[in-house]
Amino acid sequence: MRSYRVLLPALALLAACSPQGPSKAQSIPDLAQPTRRVPSDPGSMKASFSPVVKKTAPAIVNVASRRVVRQQARDPFWDFFMGGGGGAPRDQVQGSLGSGAIVRADGVIITNHHNIENMSDITVQLADRREFPATVLLDDPRSDLAVLKIDTKGERLPVIAIDDQEQLEVGDLVLALGNPFGVGQTVTNGIVSALARTDVGAAEFGSYIQTDAAINPGNSGGPLVDMDGDLIGVNTFIISRSGSSSGVGFAIPAAVVRQVVSTALGGGHSVVRPWLGVKGQPVTAEIARGLGLATPRGVVISDVYPGGSAQRAGIREGDVILTIDGQAVNDEGGGAFAIGTHKVGDRVSVLINRGGKEQTLTLRAEAAPESPARDERVLKGRNPFDGATVVNLSPAAAQDLGVDAFAGRGVLVTKIGQGFALNAGLRPGDFVREVNGKAINTTAELAAVANAGGSAWTVTIERNGQRITARLRA
């Protein structure tokens, strides 16, 4: 894309770049200047993104995944005369197309979780069009990231550096690289239009970089890069009424990317994130007036997990958390992100407002407690829970499953397979509270009661905060 030219502010930063781009061991010249400025002459108006693209493009890949699903073929003639069920099962191929970036020379690649979710066959195509089968080192649905590995037979591949130290500002220039629509590599430019967006997104754990760079289907998993040619985010989704790019795209910050990649390279199969152990709500204008705050900011705490790191650090109900390690916190998602990007054992400063006065507390980052043990199991037998997958709720399980850790002890339904549970109306996310008048606190208790025999059960579940009691027969 040597001929790609733009007329945008601040491109004078690129004017001094060599047309051949930097070597892998060097940074792009003159891009690390501390000041930002607008073009001052006609020559600077003709500056190009070409040096940045040359540096990053070789590390961009296409990620194609597929799976074969056996489905019952439908026969309209059979359905009309015989009441359905006709036709032999047929195999149907389902696929997904996305982008990715090489982050280690031996073939380690970062992409989106949703690009490879439930897929059994993953192929990576390099910039030179060579294709390699890929294996999944780590899949992290909470952040919507996945780490892949291809066998390069000892060949060293071009990489893109992960820069989680860049002090991004709204208005900074960025490029989005990827493979949208399957047409081959594309590059779009834009600016950072917002930072730390926690009120959007499909992932349960996220604080996104918002950009107006065009991001289209197939860009998912591709990098968002700065003017040094470093990865500052992974493009993951857009907000659009039409399904095409409308200038509102979101990228997962490099701090989360590095955490997931580091866990994968360390041999971990899941990311262990510290847990704050508090529950609260954003401070609205009305709440701010009631608390005597000058502006509506922060999260007012309504509950603190007993024995957790927040309680031991001195955080109380009624406190307003303003920042965590200097990062503004304005909702629970922001607090989860701010603490979650730390390592377990780190000492973290928390600025709070208590009684109209600000003070700083220090807590030690800790993983969410795994008590009671999960004991995930699939229930079978002639009972209302036949086919249901259930798990003991703990803060760690709640964190992984994206449910309220303050819902109390109990048994959570996580999946519904074929069996009586499907017909009984149970859903993933239901809490089983009582069976035949007996309180249910563990999966073992539920299994024992369910398999005790009988033809009828009185079952009480909790769904979306409401209790429902039903009389069921198997």
Side-chain angles (χ1 to χ4, degrees):
M1 299 194 60
R2 183 68 178 271
S3 63
Y4 188 69
R5 295 291 184 267
V6 294
L7 301 178
L8 284 176
L11 292 185
L13 296 176
L14 292 174
C17 293
S18 166
Q20 300 301 318
S23 67
K24 295 180 182 178
Q26 297 175 330
S27 61
I28 297 177
D30 296 331
L31 292 181
Q33 298 181 19
T35 59
R36 294 171 171 81
R37 60 180 185 270
V38 298
S40 57
D41 56 72
S44 64
M45 295 288 287
K46 297 180 180 179
S48 170
F49 290 122
S50 177
V52 183
V53 175
K54 285 182 178 180
K55 179 180 179 180
T56 56
I60 310 306
V61 302
N62 174 35
V63 178
S65 56
R66 62 191 290 273
R67 65 174 176 171
V68 177
V69 179
R70 173 150 289 198
Q71 293 186 337
Q72 184 75 32
R74 306 306 304 172
D75 186 330
F77 180 86
W78 185 279
D79 290 349
F80 182 79
F81 287 102
M82 304 299 293
R90 295 178 183 176
D91 289 342
Q92 183 180 29
V93 177
Q94 298 179 346
S96 175
L97 189 67
S99 305
I102 305 170
V103 294
R104 205 169 79 165
D106 60 353
V108 176
I109 294 162
I110 189 72
T111 188
N112 278 141
H113 153 77
H114 71 255
N115 287 339
I116 56 95
E117 183 179 10
N118 298 323
M119 297 297 176
S120 56
D121 184 10
I122 304 171
T123 301
V124 168
Q125 184 183 79
L126 305 185
D128 61 11
R129 303 187 67 81
R130 285 184 295 164
E131 294 185 351
F132 296 82
T135 57
V136 179
L137 295 184
L138 190 151
D139 189 17
D140 185 42
R142 292 193 68 212
S143 65
D144 193 23
L145 291 174
V147 182
L148 311 179
K149 179 72 169 64
I150 61 175
D151 185 0
T152 66
K153 308 296 183 183
E155 179 184 354
R156 307 290 288 177
L157 301 178
V159 302
I160 184 170
I162 301 172
D163 185 2
D164 58 347
Q165 301 300 314
E166 177 73 13
Q167 298 299 312
L168 293 178
E169 296 182 15
V170 174
D172 283 353
L173 287 165
V174 290
L175 300 182
L177 293 90
N179 186 5
F181 308 116
V183 300
Q185 183 182 32
T186 64
V187 181
T188 56
N189 74 281
I191 63 170
V192 173
S193 50
L195 295 168
R197 289 295 304 272
T198 58
D199 53 347
V200 295
E204 185 271 328
F205 173 82
S207 178
Y208 300 97
I209 302 168
Q210 183 178 324
T211 175
D212 71 344
I215 298 174
N216 292 293
N219 266 122
S220 292
L224 187 71
V225 304
D226 62 11
M227 294 298 99
D228 292 323
D230 295 333
L231 183 152
I232 57 171
V234 169
N235 301 313
T236 184
F237 72 98
I238 62 175
I239 292 179
S240 171
R241 292 181 178 178
S242 65
S244 61
S245 178
S246 300
V248 186
F250 298 89
I252 302 162
V256 181
V257 177
R258 184 179 296 280
Q259 182 185 46
V260 173
V261 171
S262 297
T263 300
L265 296 182
H269 297 292
S270 62
V271 181
V272 178
R273 294 184 174 91
W275 182 62
L276 192 56
V278 299
K279 186 175 183 178
Q281 66 179 102
V283 174
T284 62
E286 183 178 354
I287 293 175
R289 286 192 294 270
L291 295 175
L293 301 178
T295 58
R297 65 187 183 111
V299 175
V300 59
I301 302 304
S302 59
D303 204 350
V304 182
Y305 194 81
S309 58
Q311 186 185 61
R312 296 201 307 276
I315 296 176
R316 309 172 189 168
E317 294 180 20
D319 288 346
V320 177
I321 295 181
L322 302 174
T323 68
I324 295 179
D325 261 1
Q327 181 175 329
V329 173
N330 290 309
D331 53 34
E332 282 193 86
F337 177 82
I339 191 72
T341 52
H342 282 274
K343 296 179 181 178
V344 172
D346 285 354
R347 296 179 67 82
V348 183
S349 63
V350 181
L351 177 65
I352 67 168
N353 184 296
R354 178 182 294 165
K357 297 182 179 179
E358 294 185 1
Q359 58 180 292
T360 299
L361 304 176
T362 302
L363 61 80
R364 184 175 295 277
E366 296 179 354
E370 183 90 52
S371 179
R374 297 194 190 198
D375 187 28
E376 185 176 37
R377 60 176 76 188
V378 180
L379 300 178
K380 296 293 184 181
R382 190 173 177 79
N383 62 71
F385 307 99
D386 176 44
T389 302
V390 295
V391 65
N392 290 330
L393 186 67
S394 67
Q399 186 184 57
D400 291 343
L401 296 170
V403 300
D404 184 6
F406 289 81
R409 295 186 60 181
V411 174
L412 180 70
V413 177
T414 59
K415 298 177 185 177
I416 300 292
Q418 292 298 319
F420 187 82
L422 182 62
N423 298 325
L426 288 175
R427 301 177 188 173
D430 288 345
F431 287 94
V432 182
R433 294 304 189 189
E434 293 183 3
V435 177
N436 293 338
K438 177 179 175 57
I440 302 298
N441 293 310
T442 66
T443 55
E445 291 177 358
L446 177 58
V449 172
N451 293 319
S455 58
W457 290 264
T458 300
V459 177
T460 299
I461 65 167
E462 184 177 324
R463 177 182 296 168
N464 299 326
Q466 293 185 334
R467 291 207 171 204
I468 304 170
T469 300
R471 181 79 170 169
L472 302 174
R473 293 182 179 273

